[in-house]
Amino acid sequence: MISQDDFSLFDPQKMGASVLPDKPSNYIIVLRNTSSLPIKVQISTTPILTSFDYKEEKYNVVYVGKSSKSLRIRDYNQHFTGTAGYSTIRKSLGCLLGFKLIPRDINSPQNGKTKFNETDESVLTEWMKDNLLLFHYANNDYADIEKELIRIYNPPLNLQGNFNKINLNFRKELSALRSCTSTKQNSMSDNLLTSNAYSQYIQCSNCGINLTIDEGLKNEEYIKCLSCGCIVQNTIYMQNKNLKSASNLNGNLNCSKELEHYAS
């Protein structure tokens, strides 16, 4: 089992990226002792944080991750100096700060990939350096260790691979926030049904407004209604998931029948 003593501290205010390992690693991102998550939006659940102990200090864990190639060259730069288009923690923190998502790719605005505008990305970079610390551990078992770290610390900003019921509602609300671009927000608020290459609609169970499920939203399990703020389960996502499961089942059955045929 991995020990907290295996990790080394990196302070983005005092250290340069050159001290980080240029090799596969695991990392834990924590809040400084004087900091808290920046919840500047309407969200009904306050996450419960667990602590990482380091040299008799306790730090609240917000995110854990793995770097399959180089923590120094790739992951650190993406998270702390990059854009939300390539960093899940940046996107989560920016949404909590109230920043509006915009399409990441100008030439493919409907591909569902998003970021923040240049000014917001700059503010976010400074916020992260001022409020976060990073603990890192170079190793080659990063995939299994990441799963173990998520299980142990239940970081609220890890939306994938986190099955802990504690903070589940917070993760649902954050996921819904992350699914909305400024274009989608305007169209939903005005109750306009915009047609595109992919467009289906679900109805908010609270206020009854029609919510547009376009290409960028069809794979989101939960959607936030920007009219009333209610978190709604995306029935389109569930239908597609059920259809996929049924298709896989039929494929397995057909394969079994073929095997039986050849066996006979």
Side-chain angles (χ1 to χ4, degrees):
M1 181 177 177
I2 189 170
S3 168
Q4 293 175 330
D5 294 334
D6 293 326
F7 285 83
S8 300
L9 170 64
F10 176 81
D11 186 339
Q13 284 187 342
K14 301 176 181 179
M15 303 174 182
S18 60
V19 305
L20 291 169
D22 183 17
K23 57 182 64 176
S25 306
N26 287 97
Y27 55 90
I28 301 173
I29 298 179
V30 304
L31 292 165
R32 296 179 187 270
N33 286 335
T34 56
S35 302
S36 59
L37 279 176
I39 302 179
K40 307 295 184 182
V41 294
Q42 182 180 358
I43 198 164
S44 63
T45 307
T46 300
I48 298 172
L49 304 180
T50 58
S51 64
F52 179 86
D53 298 345
Y54 183 78
K55 293 184 177 180
E56 300 183 354
E57 293 283 347
K58 294 182 180 293
Y59 300 93
N60 286 329
V61 177
V62 296
Y63 186 82
V64 305
K66 65 179 185 293
S67 175
S68 61
K69 295 182 179 180
S70 170
L71 176 59
R72 179 199 309 169
I73 295 174
R74 185 177 182 183
D75 289 66
Y76 172 74
N77 287 332
Q78 285 182 342
H79 292 326
F80 279 80
T81 63
T83 72
Y86 297 94
S87 168
T88 183
I89 186 174
R90 284 184 71 92
K91 184 174 292 185
S92 293
L93 289 170
C95 287
L96 291 176
L97 282 164
F99 298 156
K100 303 301 182 184
L101 288 165
I102 61 175
R104 188 190 75 181
D105 304 318
I106 297 177
N107 296 327
S108 303
Q110 300 299 329
N111 67 5
K113 301 183 184 299
T114 54
K115 63 177 182 177
F116 304 111
N117 65 44
E118 186 175 347
T119 299
D120 289 343
E121 293 282 5
S122 178
V123 171
L124 179 56
T125 294
E126 291 305 310
W127 187 95
M128 292 180 68
K129 289 181 178 180
D130 290 343
N131 292 276
L132 300 178
L133 296 170
L134 182 146
F135 290 93
H136 58 89
Y137 168 53
N139 69 92
N140 292 317
D141 296 324
Y142 49 84
D144 289 336
I145 289 177
E146 181 191 41
K147 294 177 182 177
E148 183 69 6
L149 292 175
I150 292 176
R151 186 190 67 80
I152 293 172
Y153 294 107
N154 184 24
L157 302 188
N158 281 83
L159 303 184
Q160 293 185 346
N162 190 348
F163 308 106
N164 198 314
K165 292 183 179 179
I166 298 174
N167 297 331
L168 175 60
N169 289 334
F170 174 82
R171 295 196 303 271
K172 287 180 180 179
E173 292 190 71
L174 178 57
S175 178
L177 284 174
R178 286 163 47 99
S179 70
C180 298
T181 64
S182 56
T183 302
K184 294 169 189 170
Q185 288 169 338
N186 290 335
S187 63
M188 290 181 189
S189 297
D190 296 336
N191 196 21
L192 298 177
L193 303 182
T194 304
S195 60
N196 49 46
Y198 178 99
S199 61
Q200 298 187 59
Y201 314 105
I202 64 174
Q203 189 175 65
C204 175
S205 58
N206 185 53
C207 69
I209 193 173
N210 284 330
L211 306 179
T212 305
I213 308 300
D214 62 12
E215 187 69 32
L217 288 177
K218 69 176 184 178
N219 293 321
E220 297 289 340
E221 185 173 357
Y222 296 94
I223 306 296
K224 182 176 182 179
C225 175
L226 294 176
S227 176
C228 68
C230 181
I231 303 300
V232 182
Q233 186 171 50
N234 184 359
T235 54
I236 304 301
Y237 167 86
M238 297 305 297
Q239 290 170 5
N240 291 338
K241 182 178 179 180
N242 292 336
L243 287 172
K244 184 177 180 180
S245 297
S247 177
N248 291 337
L249 178 60
N250 288 335
N252 292 335
L253 290 174
N254 290 335
C255 181
S256 298
K257 290 178 180 179
E258 290 181 7
L259 290 174
E260 291 175 358
H261 172 73
Y262 286 113
S264 62

